[in-house]
Amino acid sequence: MNITSYNFFNFPYTLKSSIKKTNLKNESSKLSDISAVVTENSKVSENHYLLRLQEVEELNVQLKDTLNQRNKKLNEIVATNTKFISIIAHDLRTPFVSILGVLEILRESLNDYSIIEIEKYIDMVSNSANRSLNLLDNLLAWTISQNKEKSFNPVKINLFELLVDEIDNMDTSAKQKQIFLNHSIAPNVQVTADLQMVKTILRNLISNAIKFTNSGGEINISARESNEFIEIEVKDNGIGISHENQKTLFNFDVYHTSIGTKSELGTGLGLLICKEFIQLHGGNIRVESELGKGCEFKFTLPN
């Protein structure tokens, strides 16, 4: 009886003790598991942090490179604009000084000059006025081109019709020097380009050819088609360009201008603008020339 009673009353205690030990063991296991998870999460968090830190460092390097590139580009733009403005200021002033000087001479002594002498002075004024107009045309074209997104509008152009119009526009200047303007462009040749830019390119190249060709000379314009591009050539039999000067023709850092065969003055900007417009179309321009043997300017446009 006592034994039975003892066992009966001690059983719950033994069971409770066993349960308590089991619970403690389970709790300890849980704590170990939680500790392992926390440790693992800490490692994951640390790795994630390191990866993020590496990404931020790489991004900082990229941002610095981008900033340096943009600063370099901005400095180039500022330098180019400063150079451009200085050229414009100089070249726009010179022809007006010439025009005013000649008009003053004629106003004061018109009766003292013969018809031939008066015609000579009129030619001087005409050349100066044409130079100013050409400079203003180039200035306008260059200004518009700076906003490339809005100003660049490639369309299908009939090269034959465009060239005939430009030759008609330049015909008076050519006839004054008794220079023959010829072309061999087929009537069906087309290019994909910005109309105003192509006009500016052709006008500058033909004007230069007239400027550096002697009286009685000739200028020939032709085109050669390929799968992707059309190469257009403006060739003259004028005075040519030295190899040394050819190196600086398309370099904005070197201001280059020459006097024509009838003392025509240039702006030095025409070829620079031609290069910029042609490159905007994905083409290129080059020159082949020898002193005394004329020039060949060749440029490409999308076919």
Side-chain angles (χ1 to χ4, degrees):
M1 182 67 179
N2 289 337
I3 294 173
T4 305
S5 178
Y6 176 81
N7 288 337
F8 176 78
F9 287 109
N10 281 281
F11 176 74
Y13 173 81
T14 306
L15 181 63
K16 287 180 181 179
S17 178
S18 176
I19 290 173
K20 188 178 288 186
K21 289 180 180 179
T22 302
N23 289 339
L24 287 173
K25 186 177 181 181
N26 290 338
E27 290 297 327
S28 177
S29 177
K30 288 180 181 179
L31 287 174
S32 298
D33 292 342
I34 291 171
S35 177
V37 169
V38 170
T39 303
E40 184 65 27
N41 287 340
S42 297
K43 290 181 180 179
V44 171
S45 297
E46 184 179 357
N47 290 337
H48 179 72
Y49 172 77
L50 291 174
L51 287 173
R52 291 295 297 164
L53 184 61
Q54 184 178 356
E55 290 175 0
V56 170
E57 289 177 350
E58 291 175 355
L59 183 60
N60 282 336
V61 172
Q62 293 175 5
L63 289 173
K64 287 180 180 179
D65 290 341
T66 302
L67 182 61
N68 290 334
Q69 291 174 7
R70 290 187 177 181
N71 283 337
K72 182 180 178 182
K73 185 66 176 177
L74 181 60
N75 290 333
E76 290 175 355
I77 291 172
V78 171
T80 299
N81 287 345
T82 302
K83 182 78 172 179
F84 191 83
I85 291 170
S86 66
I87 293 172
I88 292 295
H90 177 270
D91 283 352
L92 196 56
R93 186 177 184 276
T94 302
F96 279 108
V97 170
S98 176
I99 291 170
L100 292 172
V102 171
L103 291 177
E104 184 66 20
I105 291 172
L106 292 176
R107 187 178 68 83
E108 292 181 353
S109 310
L110 182 61
N111 294 329
D112 297 336
Y113 295 109
S114 66
I115 296 297
I116 295 176
E117 289 174 321
I118 292 173
E119 288 178 347
K120 178 182 176 181
Y121 282 119
I122 290 174
D123 285 341
M124 291 172 61
V125 172
S126 177
N127 287 335
S128 294
N130 284 330
R131 182 183 175 216
S132 299
L133 180 60
N134 184 51
L135 178 60
L136 289 174
D137 285 342
N138 282 331
L139 175 60
L140 177 61
W142 183 85
T143 303
I144 293 173
S145 74
Q146 298 311 294
N147 191 350
K148 296 179 176 61
E149 292 182 359
K150 293 184 179 180
S151 63
F152 186 55
N153 183 31
V155 295
K156 282 285 185 180
I157 300 171
N158 186 298
L159 186 61
F160 171 84
E161 295 176 358
L162 176 60
L163 186 59
V164 168
D165 288 341
E166 289 306 313
I167 288 177
D168 287 343
N169 292 333
M170 306 297 295
D171 193 50
T172 301
S173 298
K175 284 182 177 178
Q176 286 179 347
K177 294 183 70 173
Q178 298 179 336
I179 293 172
F180 300 94
L181 278 174
N182 309 307
H183 79 87
S184 58
I185 307 292
N188 61 343
V189 174
Q190 291 189 334
V191 294
T192 302
D194 183 281
L195 179 60
Q196 295 304 321
M197 291 185 182
V198 175
K199 283 185 176 182
T200 300
I201 294 166
L202 289 173
R203 190 183 309 124
N204 275 295
L205 293 180
I206 295 172
S207 177
N208 273 356
I210 293 172
K211 176 181 172 183
F212 295 110
T213 300
N214 289 305
S215 296
E218 64 177 353
I219 298 167
N220 294 292
I221 304 161
S222 59
R224 182 174 61 85
E225 295 185 72
S226 65
N227 291 332
E228 297 181 0
F229 289 92
I230 291 180
E231 184 177 71
I232 302 166
E233 178 183 279
V234 179
K235 181 179 179 180
D236 64 64
N237 60 354
I239 60 177
I241 306 172
S242 68
H243 291 291
E244 190 66 28
N245 285 338
Q246 288 178 42
K247 297 176 183 178
T248 62
L249 280 180
F250 304 107
N251 188 351
F252 207 103
D253 295 331
V254 181
Y255 177 52
H256 178 82
T257 184
S258 302
I259 298 176
T261 55
K262 276 202 169 184
S263 301
E264 304 101 320
L265 296 175
T267 65
L269 294 174
L271 290 177
L272 299 176
I273 291 174
C274 287
K275 178 185 176 182
E276 182 170 347
F277 285 177
I278 291 167
Q279 288 182 339
L280 190 58
H281 286 85
N284 61 74
I285 182 170
R286 68 185 193 278
V287 60
E288 298 175 7
S289 179
E290 289 186 32
L291 281 176
K293 296 184 179 181
C295 285
E296 298 178 27
F297 281 93
K298 301 177 180 181
F299 67 96
T300 55
L301 292 174
N303 187 348

